[in-house]
């Protein structure tokens, strides 16, 4: 099932979390996988563990994105699967937000994701699959996450338009929106027992999801079994967005 033999997959932010799990899943199912990230040591370590190709690129920098696309084109030719996964999470109330935080989040989560898609379009094979990582934050409107939520809502809008623009080439473009997922990002944002308890109250299934569960959706959308799906947003959130 879902055999990806002879497919070339590029995954941004592939050295940890959902990107790492997706890279593992796609490689195990036959794809040639390239992962990217900002930190050289982290990318090299993950690439060795996963037995995939690692390339250093900062998604917030257009020059890095263009260099990455050029290198992938030179070394691998065309791309069949593009997972735009790299992103950051930062919090602030609207009243007290600093311009620097706004720019940091938007530069990675929206501008970077947008131009990654843009610059990789010429490399995509006909009938390729593009998957943009969004978030349930674009749906549930969490307090203190206005910029993060806005960056993901913008991604959702782009997914629909990209799906229309690329449909003549039979290229599918979809979003995957995880809810609370157990990753190292949760530790970085200071998740403690009390906050975790509060978070789980918002999830009908009363648990956090796993990176493997999100990777399973990515794998499905990357496969030919999802050949009639495009312009959609798939919520992997235990019912949080209901």
């Amino acid at each position: 099932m879902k055999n990806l033999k002879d497919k070339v997959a590029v995954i941004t932010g592939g050295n940890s979390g959902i990107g790492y799990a997706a890279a593992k899943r796609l490689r195990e199912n036959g794809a040639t996988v390239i992962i990217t990230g900002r930190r050289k040591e982290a990318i090299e370590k993950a690439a060795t563990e996963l037995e995939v190709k690692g390339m250093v690129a900062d998604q917030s920098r257009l020059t890095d994105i263009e260099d990455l696309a050029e290198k992938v084109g030179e070394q691998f030719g065309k791309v069949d699967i593009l997972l735009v996964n790299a992103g950051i999470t930062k919090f602030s109330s609207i009243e007290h937000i600093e311009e620097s935080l706004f720019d940091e989040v938007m530069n990675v989560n929206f501008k970077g994701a947008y131009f990654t898609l843009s610059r990789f379009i010429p490399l995509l094979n006909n009938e390729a699959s593009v998957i943009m990582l969004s978030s349930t934050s674009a749906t549930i409107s969490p307090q203190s996450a206005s910029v993060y939520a806005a960056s993901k809502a913008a991604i959702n809008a782009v997914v629909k338009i990209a799906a229309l623009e690329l449909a003549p080439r039979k290229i599918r473009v979809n979003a995957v929106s995880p809810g609370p997922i157990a990753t190292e990002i949760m530790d970085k944002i200071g998740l403690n027992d009390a906050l975790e308890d509060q978070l789980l109250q918002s999830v009908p299934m009363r648990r956090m999801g796993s990176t493997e569960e999100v990777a399973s959706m990515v794998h499905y959308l990357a496969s030919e079994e999802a050949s009639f799906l495009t312009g959609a947003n798939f919520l992997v959130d235990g019912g949080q967005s209901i």
Side-chain angles (χ1 to χ4, degrees):
M1 286 180 62
K2 303 171 189 167
N3 186 356
L4 302 176
K5 188 174 182 295
D6 299 325
K7 302 291 186 183
V8 174
V10 174
I11 299 174
T12 67
N15 58 278
S16 64
I18 291 168
Y20 186 100
K24 184 173 186 290
R25 182 69 173 258
L26 299 188
R27 189 196 66 77
E28 288 174 345
N29 283 272
T32 298
V33 177
I34 303 104
I35 61 171
T36 78
R38 292 183 293 180
R39 295 174 292 144
K40 185 173 185 291
E41 288 183 5
I43 277 293
E44 289 177 349
K45 181 176 182 292
T48 299
E49 292 170 354
L50 293 165
E51 298 179 340
V52 302
K53 175 72 173 180
M55 293 186 177
V56 177
D58 183 345
Q59 189 171 273
S60 69
R61 296 169 56 88
L62 180 55
T63 52
D64 278 25
I65 294 168
E66 292 177 337
D67 287 347
L68 173 66
E70 183 178 351
K71 288 175 184 175
V72 169
E74 289 173 352
Q75 296 182 35
F76 297 92
K78 292 292 187 175
V79 172
D80 302 286
I81 301 160
L82 175 64
L83 172 58
V84 184
N85 164 77
I88 58 173
T89 307
K90 295 288 179 76
F91 297 99
S92 172
S93 67
I94 296 171
E95 180 181 2
H96 296 111
I97 193 167
E98 298 289 338
E99 182 183 15
S100 58
L101 188 149
F102 181 99
D103 289 343
E104 182 184 7
V105 172
M106 281 297 188
N107 282 343
V108 176
N109 290 4
F110 180 53
K111 179 182 175 181
Y114 183 96
F115 279 102
T116 298
L117 169 61
S118 169
R119 297 310 190 248
F120 269 85
I121 287 175
L123 291 179
L124 295 175
N125 271 318
N126 290 343
E127 302 184 10
S129 175
V130 176
I131 302 147
M132 309 284 283
L133 201 78
S134 185
S135 169
T136 54
S137 292
T139 304
I140 64 173
S141 306
Q143 293 185 63
S144 298
S146 58
V147 178
Y148 177 75
S151 72
K152 295 302 186 177
I155 288 295
N156 292 348
V158 170
V159 162
K160 294 179 181 181
I161 296 170
L164 293 174
E165 291 185 3
L166 298 177
R169 293 178 54 197
K170 303 295 189 291
I171 294 172
R172 298 176 288 112
V173 186
N174 292 289
V176 172
S177 289
I181 305 296
T183 67
E184 64 181 32
I185 288 178
M186 290 296 184
D187 296 328
K188 288 180 180 178
I189 64 175
L191 187 69
N192 54 35
D193 289 344
L195 286 174
E196 183 174 359
D197 225 24
Q198 183 181 352
L199 184 61
L200 294 184
Q201 290 302 311
S202 72
V203 181
M205 296 188 75
R206 293 296 185 266
R207 69 172 178 87
M208 295 180 70
S210 70
T211 56
E212 289 75 16
E213 287 171 315
V214 183
S216 179
M217 177 58 75
V218 169
H219 179 199
Y220 174 67
L221 291 173
S223 75
E224 293 180 2
E225 293 184 23
S227 60
F228 201 52
L229 299 177
T230 195
N233 179 19
F234 293 88
L235 298 158
V236 185
D237 68 349
Q240 186 189 42
S241 58
I242 296 173

